[in-house]
Amino acid sequence: AQSVAQPEDQVNVAEGNPLTVKCTYSVSGNPYLFWYVQYPNRGLQFLLKYITGDNLVKGSYGFEAEFNKSQTSFHLKKPSALVSDSALYFCAVRDSVWAGNMLTFGGGTRLMVKP
Amino acid sequence: DAGVTQSPTHLIKTRGQQVTLRCSPKSGHDTVSWYQQALGQGPQFIFQYYEEEERQRGNFPDRFSGHQFPNYSSELNVNALLLGDSALYLCASSSVGFSLNTEAFFGQGTRLTVV
């Protein structure tokens, strides 16, 4: 069975400071990892993914994530936070390269960026 | 490209009633998955349809059923509604195929309230 843990319910950061949202995963095979963002009363928007290759993945809106196989982690990062980045962030894992396979999500981390 | 569209956006039902939610996948996508997102939680996988058949199913009771039509659109049906079925229901579409560069695209969701 696959699982995802997001250890922080909320992350607070000042605008302009770097941010990190943590994610660890467990999967029996190769991990296919994703970050999604959710704004109030909205669906999920795709940010970035790790399928294979370079451990540092760059995504939308200046976000990036670092895949660490030994620590089974896939932390989301951004060098300089914006107030508009405030939202709910979800890490997800899939144990198959097939895009139709089920995603297992973490519980989410609320990011609050203060001016 | 309209992306993934879901209808209705909001719905209020009474306990014991039945409800049908609808989803049109992103253009070019042939696989539809449904997720339930309870308040304050991450989305949970309900089931997935491809070629008009249910291919994978999460840990949801038989009260949850679905259908996929020849045009790839999909319906989620929930019978004998319980208060605990109140949630945001998300539809995700993707394209089958052994491609590494695919991810699921989500609709805006249907907010179901059971009273």
Side-chain angles (χ1 to χ4, degrees):
Chain A
Q2 55 196 41
S3 65
V4 174
Q6 293 182 243
E8 303 154 316
D9 289 337
Q10 183 161 316
V11 169
N12 297 308
V13 65
E15 188 174 30
N17 283 0
L19 69 88
T20 298
V21 182
K22 296 179 180 177
C23 170
T24 59
Y25 67 90
S26 174
V27 64
S28 55
N30 290 324
Y32 302 95
L33 296 154
F34 304 81
W35 277 100
Y36 286 86
V37 60
Q38 186 175 39
Y39 295 98
N41 301 312
R42 302 291 293 275
L44 301 177
Q45 295 180 29
F46 169 76
L47 277 180
L48 51 78
K49 66 189 173 192
Y50 172 81
I51 302 296
T52 187
D54 195 349
N55 288 345
L56 185 63
V57 178
K58 294 190 182 296
S60 306
Y61 313 118
F63 284 93
E64 58 189 27
E66 186 170 10
F67 171 65
N68 188 317
K69 188 173 184 178
S70 63
Q71 297 185 6
T72 61
S73 67
F74 189 56
H75 299 332
L76 181 69
K77 300 180 179 183
K78 188 174 182 181
S80 179
L82 300 172
V83 173
S84 57
D85 292 331
S86 298
L88 193 53
Y89 290 80
F90 290 98
C91 180
V93 68
R94 194 175 74 207
D95 65 358
S96 165
V97 70
W98 186 39
N101 261 39
M102 63 175 280
L103 288 166
T104 297
F105 286 85
T109 298
R110 185 166 301 282
L111 174 65
M112 298 289 289
V113 181
K114 298 186 177 179
Chain B
D1 184 358
V4 181
T5 58
Q6 292 186 241
S7 63
T9 55
H10 295 84
L11 203 52
I12 300 175
K13 289 287 188 178
T14 304
R15 275 180 300 174
Q17 284 189 317
Q18 179 264 345
V19 68
T20 297
L21 311 182
R22 295 176 175 83
C23 172
S24 292
K26 181 179 170 64
S27 178
H29 286 184
D30 52 16
T31 302
V32 172
S33 301
W34 287 91
Y35 291 79
Q36 180 195 65
Q37 185 180 14
L39 198 62
Q41 297 182 21
Q44 289 199 307
F45 177 78
I46 303 175
F47 46 53
Q48 167 221 82
Y49 278 83
Y50 169 64
E51 290 186 332
E52 302 180 46
E53 289 188 15
E54 183 181 296
R55 299 290 179 168
Q56 278 190 301
R57 190 178 182 92
N59 189 26
F60 279 80
D62 292 345
R63 297 186 298 108
F64 290 77
S65 63
H67 188 78
Q68 185 179 35
F69 298 93
N71 66 353
Y72 308 121
S73 67
S74 176
E75 288 182 349
L76 164 64
N77 300 294
V78 187
N79 294 324
L81 284 167
L82 304 173
L83 295 180
D85 295 331
S86 296
L88 181 67
Y89 287 84
L90 296 165
C91 171
S93 75
S94 54
S95 178
V96 77
F98 202 80
S99 169
L100 298 179
N101 292 317
T102 54
E103 62 271 0
F105 287 81
F106 285 80
Q108 303 289 67
T110 293
R111 173 73 62 187
L112 172 65
T113 302
V114 182
V115 297

